[in-house]
């Protein structure tokens, strides 16, 4: 099975989707004119041989990069199910996985194994045998699709001191040899025509790793804090071993495999970009903030805010020479934008909040949400960081403006804050506190931040309303039979209405109204039990709202407005409706497509705000309250 089989599966899903439009054209290299999932314009493209990502060409206005599997679940590749092992090819899932990483020529003579259910994670892996310094065969490899919280790397046996070399190629000691951390990265460079080996971990001790046979070493580790530390250690050690040829590079925007998949390792492109990769490594190896600032300006002609050794510095050019670049420390922390929270409870005045994670140089972390006012001045920043993060910001106007830009220009996701639970019109999903039902009817769990991903780059933060999480294994037929035995056909009519109420918004869009349900009978006939069971069906552990003067009308209205595609039960409406704070007159309009309440906004113009009603009503009482023609 080849990479073409993976591409064709994804292409089939794309062609049958709304993203493939009248303007879409396919050539040997590109698929152009695709409808962008983010901005909707027909200006997205994909690579014909690797259509797993869509790239929007509107870089100034959109520029989205979207995983096709996130927007078309049918395009998701399950290497073990789609390309299972056979008696003739026991390593087939592993081969297909490697091909999906853009590896083809480098698979010639490669020794690898497919292992299933590694670490009992449910995910298989491709594993590579390696001879350890003691002569023992150990294994290092990568899981295909590890669950959250599980690392993607797997070892069997100690890899201390190990160096992976491609068994199908004879090493040339006089040729430039790229030293990477992972085997996939080494294979990516080999695929591009380079000689490469892997040390398997950034934690390797340079003294235990034998690279003495290679005369021209290029250290090419991962561009992360662990990779930076490994780069410094190996560079220092190799220099001490009198290696004459030691160069350093770090990948930008991903790892070497990402660059291979994006065409950045093609010979001409790689040579052109190699200066930038070398600059990235020089910056990682800088011994002081002053040295960092001079490298930064000397190679990239940049000054401004940068992070070094766990703190922010601000550099400026005071003259015309590198020696005139000066910098000052302006914080004792670094930060990242975790997400942008979008509150659209008032559609005319959307509000963004900024959820930050601060890591102090001393080691402690803090996460908190800030508002625009706190970011609008150096004093606001100083106060906010002291209060929320127990860290210090000393930057004045210029560095403060740079820090705000850093917060605003992050690639963190925009998370839409919901204030209504149940049906969400924008995503077409049903959102509860601890689970979501997506458009395909699948139950989705929140991520580690408590968010639901509805498509690429779009997340939802649910409202905090106590709801129940459905359990699996319920015998629906038995349950319906028990309802019928207890309440007869009235229970079945009630259940049918409850199921219909989950689609109240769609039904109102079609016919303009949705009926109420009235359950009335003498006391002690089981109305409360039936109502509680119906609430359980919509993930709520309650009976309803008692209609009494102890409640406020505003509270009852807000309670009803919190639910969408769900019903609210109103309990024991008294014979004399004047004994409640909520007038019966409010009901007739919401039977049709109207809101619960209309009020004027505190503005000088004529704007108003309508409290929406996206649910349905069930009345539960001993006496029938509907005794007027309306």
């Amino acid at each position: 099975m080849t990479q073409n089989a993976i591409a064709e599966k994804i292409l089939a899903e794309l062609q049958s989707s709304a993203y493939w439009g009248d303007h879409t054209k396919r050539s040997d290299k590109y698929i152009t004119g695709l409808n962008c999932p983010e901005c909707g314009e027909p200006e997205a493209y994909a690579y014909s041989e690797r259509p797993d990502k869509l790239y929007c060409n509107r870089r100034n206005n959109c520029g989205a990069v979207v995983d096709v599997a996130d927007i078309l679940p049918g395009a998701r590749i399950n290497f073990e199910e789609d390309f299972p092992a056979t008696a003739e090819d026991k390593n087939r899932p592993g081969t297909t996985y490697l091909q999906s990483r853009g590896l083809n020529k480098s698979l010639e003579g490669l020794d690898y194994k497919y292992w299933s259910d590694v670490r009992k994670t449910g995910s298989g892996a491709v594993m590579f045998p390696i001879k350890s310094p003691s002569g023992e065969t150990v294994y290092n490899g990568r899981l295909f699709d590890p669950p959250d919280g599980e690392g993607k790397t797997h070892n069997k046996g100690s890899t201390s001191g190990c160096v992976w070399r491609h068994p199908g190629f004879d090493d040339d000691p006089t040729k430039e040899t790229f030293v990477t951390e992972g085997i996939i990265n080494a294979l990516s460079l080999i695929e591009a025509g380079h000689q490469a080996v892997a040390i398997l971990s950034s934690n390797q001790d340079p003294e235990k790793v034998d690279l003495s046979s290679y005369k021209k070493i290029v250290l090419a580790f991962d561009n992360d804090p662990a990779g930076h530390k490994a780069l410094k250690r190996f560079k220092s050690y190799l220099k001490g071993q009198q290696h004459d040829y030691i160069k350093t590079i770090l990948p930008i925007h991903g790892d070497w495999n990402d660059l291979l998949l994006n065409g950045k390792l093609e010979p001409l492109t790689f040579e052109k970009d190699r200066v930038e990769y070398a600059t990235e490594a020089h910056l990682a190896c800088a011994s002081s903030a002053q040295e960092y600032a001079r490298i930064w300006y000397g190679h990239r002609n940049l000054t401004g805010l940068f992070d070094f050794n766990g703190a922010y510095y601000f550099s400026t050019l005071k003259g015309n020479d590198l020696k005139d670049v000066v910098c000052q420390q302006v914080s004792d922390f670094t930060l990242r934008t975790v997400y942008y929270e979008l509150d659209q409870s008032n559609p005319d005045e959307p509000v963004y909040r900024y959820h930050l994670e601060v890591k102090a140089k001393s080691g402690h972390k803090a996460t908190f949400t800030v508002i625009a006012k706190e970011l609008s001045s150096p004093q606001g920043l100083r106060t906010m960081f002291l209060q929320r993060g127990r860290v210090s910001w000393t930057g004045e106007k210029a560095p403060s403006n740079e820090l705000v830009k850093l917060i605003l220009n992050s690639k963190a996701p925009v998370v839409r804050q919901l204030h209504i639970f149940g049906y969400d019109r924008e995503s077409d999903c049903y959102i509860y506190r601890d689970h979501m039902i997506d458009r395909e009817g699948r139950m989705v769990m929140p991520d580690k931040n408590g968010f639901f991903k509805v498509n690429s780059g779009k997340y939802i933060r649910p409202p905090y309303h106590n709801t129940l999480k459905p359990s699996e294994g319920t015998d629906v037929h038995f349950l319906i039979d028990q309802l019928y035995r207890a309440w007869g056909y009235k229970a079945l009519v009630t259940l049918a209405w409850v199921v219909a109420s989950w689609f109240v918004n769609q039904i109102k869009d079609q016919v303009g109204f949705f009926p109420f349900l009235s359950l009335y009978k003498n006391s002690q006939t089981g109305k409360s039990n039936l109502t509680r069971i119906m609430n359980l069906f919509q993930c709520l552990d309650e009976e309803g709202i008692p209609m009494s003067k102890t409640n406020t009308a505003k509270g009852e209205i807000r309670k009803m407005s919190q639910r969408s595609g769900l019903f609210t039960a109103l309990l024991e409406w008294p014979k004399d409706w004047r004994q409640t704070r909520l007038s019966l007159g409010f009901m007739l309009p919401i039977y049709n497509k109207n809101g619960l309440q209309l009020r004027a906004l505190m503005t000088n113009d004529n704007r108003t705000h309508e409290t929406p009603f996206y649910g349905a009503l069930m009345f539960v009482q001993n006496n029938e309250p509907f005794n007027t023609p309306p």
Side-chain angles (χ1 to χ4, degrees):
M1 187 57 62
T2 66
Q3 168 63 24
N4 287 338
I6 299 173
E8 290 303 323
K9 176 179 178 178
I10 299 172
L11 273 174
E13 293 291 327
L14 265 177
Q15 287 173 328
S16 61
S17 74
Y19 306 109
W20 193 286
D22 296 337
H23 298 86
T24 305
K25 295 179 181 178
R26 181 183 177 187
S27 67
D28 290 341
K29 189 168 184 179
Y30 295 107
I31 305 166
T32 58
L34 292 161
N35 297 321
C36 175
E38 296 292 329
C39 67
E41 296 297 325
E43 297 188 38
Y45 71 93
Y47 292 101
S48 294
E49 292 186 359
R50 284 196 52 80
D52 58 326
K53 286 185 171 61
L54 301 186
Y55 304 86
C56 184
N57 250 331
R58 303 175 68 240
R59 295 181 183 175
N60 292 331
N61 298 309
C62 180
V65 179
V66 179
D67 285 328
V68 173
D70 286 341
I71 56 176
L72 298 173
R76 188 176 299 278
I77 304 297
N78 186 312
F79 297 99
E80 294 168 284
E81 291 182 6
D82 295 336
F83 308 99
T86 65
E88 296 77 22
D89 188 358
K90 295 180 180 179
N91 295 323
R92 188 184 182 209
T95 303
T96 311
Y97 174 77
L98 294 173
Q99 289 170 337
S100 77
R101 307 308 304 172
L103 305 173
N104 293 290
K105 294 180 292 184
S106 57
L107 301 189
E108 184 179 343
L110 186 65
D111 190 7
Y112 59 92
K113 308 289 183 188
Y114 157 64
W115 290 3
S116 64
D117 195 18
V118 174
R119 296 200 302 267
K120 300 191 181 300
T121 60
S123 172
V126 58
M127 302 295 298
F128 302 91
I130 305 142
K131 284 290 184 184
S132 71
S134 64
E136 178 188 4
T137 298
V138 298
Y139 284 85
N140 170 271
R142 180 180 289 194
L143 276 67
F144 301 147
D145 189 20
D148 290 342
E150 286 284 346
K152 62 185 178 182
T153 301
H154 183 68
N155 292 321
K156 183 178 181 182
S158 173
T159 59
S160 176
C162 289
V163 178
W164 174 88
R165 297 172 173 86
H166 197 301
F169 295 89
D170 293 328
D171 285 347
D172 182 351
T174 64
K175 187 178 179 180
E176 244 189 1
T177 303
F178 292 79
V179 181
T180 70
E181 291 179 38
I183 295 175
I184 301 294
N185 280 327
L187 285 169
S188 300
L189 289 162
I190 293 169
E191 185 75 22
H194 303 286
Q195 183 168 280
V197 298
I199 61 168
L200 310 182
S201 170
S202 61
N203 292 323
Q204 288 278 25
D205 182 349
E207 295 185 22
K208 295 180 180 179
V209 177
D210 184 9
L211 299 172
S212 59
S213 61
Y214 301 108
K215 305 306 178 188
K216 296 181 178 180
I217 291 179
V218 182
L219 298 174
F221 298 146
D222 293 349
N223 196 354
D224 57 23
H228 296 176
K229 290 179 182 178
L231 190 67
K232 292 177 182 178
R233 289 200 315 273
F234 274 81
K235 183 180 178 182
S236 174
Y237 174 75
L238 291 172
K239 279 188 173 181
Q241 296 299 304
Q242 308 304 314
H243 272 272
D244 297 328
Y245 188 105
I246 305 169
K247 294 187 180 297
T248 56
I249 60 173
L250 289 175
I252 302 175
H253 307 309
D255 57 25
W256 299 116
N257 185 245
D258 294 323
L259 295 176
L260 173 71
L261 294 174
N262 293 330
K264 299 292 187 181
L265 292 190
E266 294 180 2
L268 292 178
T269 304
F270 179 73
E271 286 306 315
K272 179 173 69 70
D273 294 342
R274 185 163 170 172
V275 173
E276 284 298 308
Y277 302 149
T279 298
E280 199 73 7
H282 292 328
L283 290 170
C285 292
S287 58
S288 68
Q290 185 73 31
E291 181 185 352
Y292 186 104
R294 288 176 177 170
I295 294 170
W296 201 28
Y297 181 77
H299 289 276
R300 292 181 176 166
N301 201 29
L302 292 173
T303 56
L305 191 73
F306 64 89
D307 64 277
F308 179 82
N309 197 25
Y312 286 119
Y313 291 78
F314 189 73
S315 66
T316 53
L317 183 64
K318 297 296 186 182
N320 299 313
D321 196 270
L322 280 179
K323 65 179 177 15
D324 298 321
V325 177
V326 297
C327 66
Q328 65 179 92
Q329 185 174 342
V330 291
S331 82
D332 60 357
F333 66 88
T334 57
L335 63 78
R336 72 182 182 95
T337 306
V338 183
Y339 62 91
Y340 304 105
E341 180 183 305
L342 175 59
D343 186 342
Q344 292 177 304
S345 53
N346 182 356
D348 295 328
E349 295 180 2
V351 175
Y352 280 98
R353 300 182 184 89
Y354 307 88
H355 195 81
L356 308 179
E357 179 186 83
V358 164
K359 183 177 182 181
K361 194 169 181 179
S362 61
H364 79 266
K365 287 185 179 180
T367 58
F368 47 84
T369 301
V370 302
I371 60 175
K373 185 177 180 180
E374 294 172 305
L375 302 178
S376 60
S377 69
Q379 183 58 48
L381 287 167
R382 277 194 284 275
T383 303
M384 178 266 291
F385 282 121
L386 284 171
Q387 286 182 341
R388 310 283 183 81
R390 195 159 52 90
V391 290
S392 173
W393 173 258
T394 58
E396 295 302 328
K397 185 175 181 179
S400 293
N401 288 340
E402 291 287 317
L403 184 68
V404 172
K405 286 181 183 178
L406 183 70
I407 293 170
L408 293 178
N409 295 333
S410 164
K411 292 186 178 180
V414 174
V415 178
R416 186 161 54 91
Q417 174 66 62
L418 292 189
H419 297 277
I420 295 173
F421 67 96
Y423 179 66
D424 174 51
R425 282 178 175 267
E426 187 170 324
S427 66
D428 204 22
C429 299
Y430 286 77
I431 315 290
Y432 297 85
R433 190 183 71 176
D434 298 315
H435 71 283
M436 176 179 81
I437 307 299
D438 69 11
R439 297 182 64 180
E440 308 299 323
R442 294 171 299 215
M443 187 162 70
V444 178
M445 295 296 106
D447 64 14
K448 62 182 179 181
N449 294 313
F451 307 146
F452 297 105
K453 187 175 184 179
V454 292
N455 56 36
S456 178
K458 292 189 177 180
Y459 293 79
I460 288 176
R461 184 181 188 181
Y464 189 81
H465 296 296
N466 287 324
T467 56
L468 303 174
K469 188 166 71 173
S471 60
E472 297 181 2
T474 302
D475 187 335
V476 177
H477 294 92
F478 173 78
L479 189 59
I480 292 174
D481 179 68
Q482 295 300 300
L483 288 171
Y484 176 72
R485 287 172 180 268
W487 288 283
Y489 285 111
K490 292 181 180 180
L492 303 187
V493 171
T494 301
L495 179 59
W497 180 88
V498 168
V499 173
S501 74
W502 300 339
F503 305 96
V504 57
N505 294 285
Q506 295 90 329
I507 292 170
K508 278 189 175 181
D509 287 344
Q510 292 293 319
V511 300
F513 71 93
F514 188 83
F516 301 147
L517 180 69
S518 178
L519 300 182
Y520 71 94
K521 194 74 174 179
N522 294 334
S523 60
Q524 306 302 315
T525 54
K527 299 186 302 297
S528 296
N529 282 337
L530 180 59
T531 304
R532 183 168 289 277
I533 291 171
M534 294 300 141
N535 268 302
L536 290 173
F537 285 165
Q538 59 180 8
C539 301
L540 294 173
D541 185 13
E542 64 176 37
E543 186 180 344
I545 303 175
M547 301 308 296
S548 77
K549 273 196 170 182
T550 57
N551 299 333
T552 65
K554 184 178 291 186
E556 292 166 342
I557 286 173
R558 285 192 178 179
K559 182 94 171 179
M560 286 184 274
S561 70
Q562 292 169 356
R563 305 177 185 194
S564 176
L566 304 170
F567 75 85
T568 303
L570 303 181
L571 309 178
E572 301 300 343
W573 203 295
K575 286 184 179 181
D576 184 357
W577 61 266
R578 288 170 296 186
Q579 296 301 311
T580 71
R581 295 184 185 271
L582 195 65
S583 168
L584 276 172
F586 90 99
M587 291 188 299
L588 191 57
I590 65 172
Y591 185 90
N592 304 309
K593 292 182 65 175
N594 291 290
L596 283 163
Q597 183 186 54
L598 184 68
R599 59 182 176 83
L601 292 177
M602 298 291 289
T603 60
N604 293 325
D605 53 29
N606 60 353
R607 284 184 293 167
T608 59
H609 175 74
E610 184 175 64
T611 303
F613 181 61
Y614 297 134
L617 288 185
M618 176 190 291
F619 294 85
V620 184
Q621 60 271 305
N622 294 335
N623 301 293
E624 169 63 77
F626 305 114
N627 51 22
T628 65

